[in-house]
Amino acid sequence: MKKERFNLIWQKYGTIGILILIILVLGILSPTYFFTPSNLTQIILQSSINILVGVGEFFPILIAGIDLSVGSIMALTGMITAKLLVAGVPIILAILLGGILTGALLGFINGFLVVKTNLHPFIITLGTLSIFRGLTLIISDARPVYGLPTEFTQGVAGWLWFVPIPVIIAFVLAGILMFITNKTKMGRNIYALGGNPQAAWFSGINIKLHTIVVFMISGICAGIAGVVLTARLGAAEPLAGTGFELFAIAAAIIGGTSFFGGKGKILGVVMGALIIGVINNGLNILNVSTYYQQIVMGSLIIGAVALDRLFGGKKA
């Protein structure tokens, strides 16, 4: 009984507890700089892209899948958006076509291949990771694209009063996805699909359609992240987004999303992305090498999945 109660408390407050603990530890280790307003703002700003790509990755993991192609989707959508902008396409239209619609199309390809081949999403998205990166290198000739309009970089990566616009975009998108998962029939169907696919099928849920929709949501989020990253860099880099699949998966898993499907919250993913941002920021302040940061990230993923198995009672 005590263990069940502890499990319930851990699932509700474990992520926020870890975030607070890490903040306190880093605050003690760097008392003069860590809690300054400029540093706290920088943490949230640096976390915004992780939030964008993480809330998208949440959906494939929620159905016990995964999307390894999000980093390559970021690069391809950012490159197409930049090419359209340099060609003189209006900013809103370029973002819509190059970022959102291209992201949705790439996500649709992932979902379509998963339902048609019945292969695990790990295999499909591992393949498209390479395909999408190759397409980015081909259309860019492996060269960055410069000369983006100032209205684009300021409008997407600038500031609205004292709040960075990427932060606003990230939290608005997280709010929309939170509404979808909590208040819509589609959200409930996705949870049911992740919890027990066979029971979901017997309940009349269109498993193939919802699987494709899940990967389209992941693609759209990665597309938006690609546009924001391009605006922040002021150029489209063909190797942009490399390694972001790790941050996306880490944000979802650390945020309490079960790697075995059917359990997790968007708010938890946001917390997971903030934990990653706080850790990276703290290690930078403490002059810890980026090599060690990767070790920390990998350890956090293994630890989070181990805790999920321990408290969730599920087996791989």
Side-chain angles (χ1 to χ4, degrees), residues 6-169:
F6 178 76
N7 291 351
L8 189 63
I9 293 173
W10 175 263
Q11 289 171 13
K12 281 188 175 181
Y13 306 110
T15 307
I16 184 68
I18 292 172
L19 177 60
I20 293 172
L21 179 64
I22 293 173
I23 289 174
L24 289 176
V25 170
L26 292 174
I28 293 171
L29 293 176
S30 178
T32 57
Y33 183 74
F34 184 79
F35 283 119
T36 59
S38 61
N39 186 53
L40 295 177
T41 303
Q42 193 63 27
I43 290 173
I44 299 176
L45 176 59
Q46 290 177 342
S47 301
S48 59
I49 294 180
N50 289 340
I51 292 173
L52 286 170
V53 75
V55 294
E57 184 71 53
F58 165 79
F59 287 89
I61 294 178
L62 192 60
I63 63 167
I66 198 166
D67 187 352
L68 297 176
S69 67
V70 290
S72 296
I73 292 177
M74 287 175 63
L76 184 52
T77 52
M79 185 58 68
I80 293 175
T81 303
K83 289 275 187 182
L84 291 173
L85 289 169
V86 172
V89 175
I91 293 173
I92 299 297
L93 186 59
I95 293 174
L96 184 63
L97 293 175
I100 297 175
L101 291 182
T102 301
L105 174 63
L106 300 177
F108 173 82
I109 292 171
N110 279 335
F112 181 80
L113 290 174
V114 168
V115 300
K116 286 299 179 184
T117 63
N118 284 324
L119 291 173
H120 193 277
F122 179 91
I123 304 298
I124 297 297
T125 57
L126 181 63
T128 54
L129 175 153
S130 180
I131 293 170
F132 298 156
R133 182 68 66 182
L135 288 173
T136 307
L137 292 169
I138 290 171
I139 66 172
S140 66
D141 199 21
R143 296 176 181 174
V145 174
Y146 298 104
L148 305 180
T150 306
E151 294 82 2
F152 169 72
T153 55
Q154 291 296 317
V156 176
W159 292 66
L160 187 61
W161 292 298
F162 55 89
V163 182
I165 293 176
V167 174
I168 297 173
I169 295 172

Side-chain angles (χ1 to χ4, degrees), residues 200-211:
W201 185 82
F202 279 117
S203 301
I205 295 173
N206 190 328
I207 292 178
K208 292 182 178 179
L209 175 63
H210 283 82
T211 300

